[in-house]
Amino acid sequence: MLAVTGYGTSIVRELSRLIDEPISRIGGSGSQWFDSDFIIPDAERFVLAAGVLYGKRVADQSVYDIATGLAINLISPMRLCEEILAKNDRARICVIGSESGFSGSFDDVYAAAKAGLHGYVLSRKVLPTQQLVAVAPPIISDAGMTMRRPDYPAILSKRKTVTSQQVAIVVHQLLYGPPVSNRVERMC
């Protein structure tokens, strides 16, 4: 079984077309999943795809926006990885990062959170039977967080983009192919 956060994301939808097994949601027991104890299904493969992008400089974000952005994009994935790795000695985890974690973004908090997430994946020690990797795509042209941007048409014409299907294929290879050591797979 595959367990995911970001169940409704375009990446998870595309990934579901590539696999022949059930997909289960990772949930939280509190009012907001990023502020709760996690309910982790019994699975061996995990995709952590939940994310939020406010599209504003840090000076233009409220303290709540900053805290939420860091919680969803950095702290919750790290906490989930820790819980999964502690409970499952055969876990294979793929975290969805972002090229913004390497090259920056107009949304400073998002870029900083993804950079922190990449650093965590690269430095976290895992058992020889476990796998922790991340995918760092550039802008995903058909993702909801991209399509909701007011500058969506301009982004598509000026920036390198990939599709959710392309990201899902890389995630699938990392989770279902031969095991690899901790790494962040850049897609640009």
Side-chain angles (χ1 to χ4, degrees):
M1 179 186 340
L2 174 67
V4 302
T5 62
Y7 186 82
T9 64
S10 54
I11 294 170
V12 171
R13 280 194 312 271
E14 290 296 332
L15 186 58
S16 72
R17 294 183 177 122
L18 298 174
I19 63 172
D20 188 25
E21 65 180 329
I23 295 180
S24 182
R25 297 175 194 212
I26 298 171
S29 60
S31 60
Q32 296 178 348
W33 74 266
F34 61 84
D35 187 28
S36 64
D37 293 323
F38 298 111
I39 301 166
I40 302 170
D42 186 25
E44 285 196 10
R45 291 177 175 84
F46 300 85
V47 176
L48 308 183
V52 64
L53 174 74
Y54 290 109
K56 300 184 274 188
R57 295 254 179 239
V58 68
D60 299 324
Q61 293 185 39
S62 69
V63 172
Y64 178 81
D65 291 346
I66 294 167
T68 302
L70 290 173
I72 292 173
N73 294 315
L74 174 61
I75 304 303
S76 289
M78 287 174 57
R79 284 183 58 217
L80 272 168
C81 287
E82 290 301 314
E83 288 190 37
I84 293 165
L85 293 169
K87 293 177 183 175
N88 186 334
D89 64 356
R90 302 197 60 75
R92 293 182 73 168
I93 305 169
C94 185
V95 179
I96 305 301
S98 172
E99 178 59 31
S100 295
F102 295 106
S103 59
S105 169
F106 184 74
D107 186 326
D108 307 305
V109 175
Y110 180 81
K114 293 301 185 177
L117 191 56
H118 298 163
Y120 168 77
V121 167
L122 292 171
S123 65
R124 174 60 164 85
K125 301 275 189 251
V126 298
L127 298 174
T129 55
Q130 296 174 323
Q131 176 178 288
L132 176 60
V133 295
V135 174
I139 294 171
I140 303 170
S141 61
D142 57 343
M145 73 169 52
T146 303
M147 295 171 63
R148 287 188 292 272
R149 290 178 61 161
D151 61 345
Y152 178 66
I155 288 293
L156 295 182
S157 66
K158 295 179 183 176
R159 304 282 295 273
K160 177 172 175 32
T161 64
V162 295
T163 65
S164 296
Q165 181 183 39
Q166 291 170 310
V167 177
I169 289 169
V170 172
V171 169
H172 183 269
Q173 290 169 343
L174 290 168
L175 287 179
Y176 293 89
V180 297
S181 59
N182 293 44
R183 71 180 193 207
V184 178
E185 188 74 29
R186 293 176 79 170
M187 295 185 62
C188 55

